[in-house]
């Protein structure tokens, strides 16, 4: 069974795109990955594209888009917000019959400084995304039939940092 996963943030130019592209690359036939923003910037941050290319991940078809495009889309099984509420960044509020989880992480697109600082910020954000997606992919299929247990597992995944061990 293929599960539809939507990664949401505000601008849909960095974190949500990193997550979409990575899950597309790793998810096989188990997951279909999408991303969107409540206020999309209209373009993907070039540092996000460079990070994905450096990791050998396909970037074809990626674009910054509004969550409005998903109103008539196939139903989502999982919606994950990746905005950074710790930095007082507004996260999109979504409603529907799907599991929601918040996997907040700092916005690498907000990093000021030289290109090396920005490259490092995107590499760090992608490291967090990859760690969390590895944990998602490691969840047993049987967990998806227990909504409460799945919610708990997803929320725990959303707390993982690169210094943590896998759950």
């Amino acid at each position: 069974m293929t599960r539809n996963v939507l990664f949401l943030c505000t601008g849909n130019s960095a974190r949500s795109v990193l997550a979409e592209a990575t899950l597309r690359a790793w998810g096989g036939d188990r997951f279909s990955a999408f991303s969107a923003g409540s206020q999309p910037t209209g373009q993907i941050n070039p540092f996000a594209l460079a990070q994905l290319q450096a990791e050998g991940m396909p970037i074809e078809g990626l674009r910054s888009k509004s969550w409005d495009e998903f109103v008539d889309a196939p139903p989502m099984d999982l919606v994950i917000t990746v905005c950074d509420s710790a930095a007082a960044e507004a996260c999109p509020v979504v409603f529907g019959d799907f599991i929601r989880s918040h996997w907040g992480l700092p916005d690498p697109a907000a990093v000021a400084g030289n290109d090396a600082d920005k490259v490092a910020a995107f590499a760090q954000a992608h490291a967090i995304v990859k760690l969390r997606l590895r944990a998602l992919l490691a969840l047993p299929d049987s967990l998806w039939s227990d909504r409460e247990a799945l919610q708990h597992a997803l929320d725990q995944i959303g707390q993982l940092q690169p210094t943590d061990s896998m759950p």
Side-chain angles (χ1 to χ4, degrees), residues 50-109:
Q51 176 62 38
L52 292 167
Q53 288 177 309
E55 298 271 344
M57 295 191 181
I59 61 168
E60 294 79 28
L62 293 176
R63 62 188 178 84
S64 176
K65 57 203 158 296
S66 172
W67 61 359
D68 294 338
E69 290 189 25
F70 293 90
V71 170
D72 295 321
M76 294 296 145
D77 299 296
L78 177 58
V79 173
I80 299 173
T81 52
V82 294
C83 41
D84 187 12
S85 53
E89 181 182 6
C91 288
V93 176
V94 291
F95 301 98
D97 186 28
F98 43 76
I99 301 284
R100 304 168 195 67
S101 190
H102 178 66
W103 292 6
L105 62 148
D107 185 1

Side-chain angles (χ1 to χ4, degrees), residues 1 3 30-31 77-78 99 103 134-157 167:
M1 173 181 183
R3 294 183 171 82
R30 292 178 56 208
F31 294 95
D77 299 296
L78 177 58
I99 301 284
W103 292 6
R134 281 188 197 101
L136 171 68
L137 291 167
L139 293 176
D141 286 336
S142 61
L143 193 61
W144 288 82
S145 62
D146 183 343
R147 200 169 171 111
E148 187 176 319
L150 177 60
Q151 181 72 62
H152 177 73
L154 291 168
D155 291 346
Q156 291 298 111
I157 290 170

Side-chain angles (χ1 to χ4, degrees), residues 14-34:
R15 295 162 292 184
S16 56
V17 172
L18 292 171
E20 174 189 8
T22 304
L23 188 56
R24 277 187 183 178
W26 293 354
D29 61 355
R30 292 178 56 208
F31 294 95
S32 291
F34 308 92

Side-chain angles (χ1 to χ4, degrees), residues 113-129:
N114 62 34
D115 284 357
D117 295 333
K118 294 174 184 179
V119 167
F122 276 87
Q124 177 64 24
H126 199 214
I128 296 168
V129 166

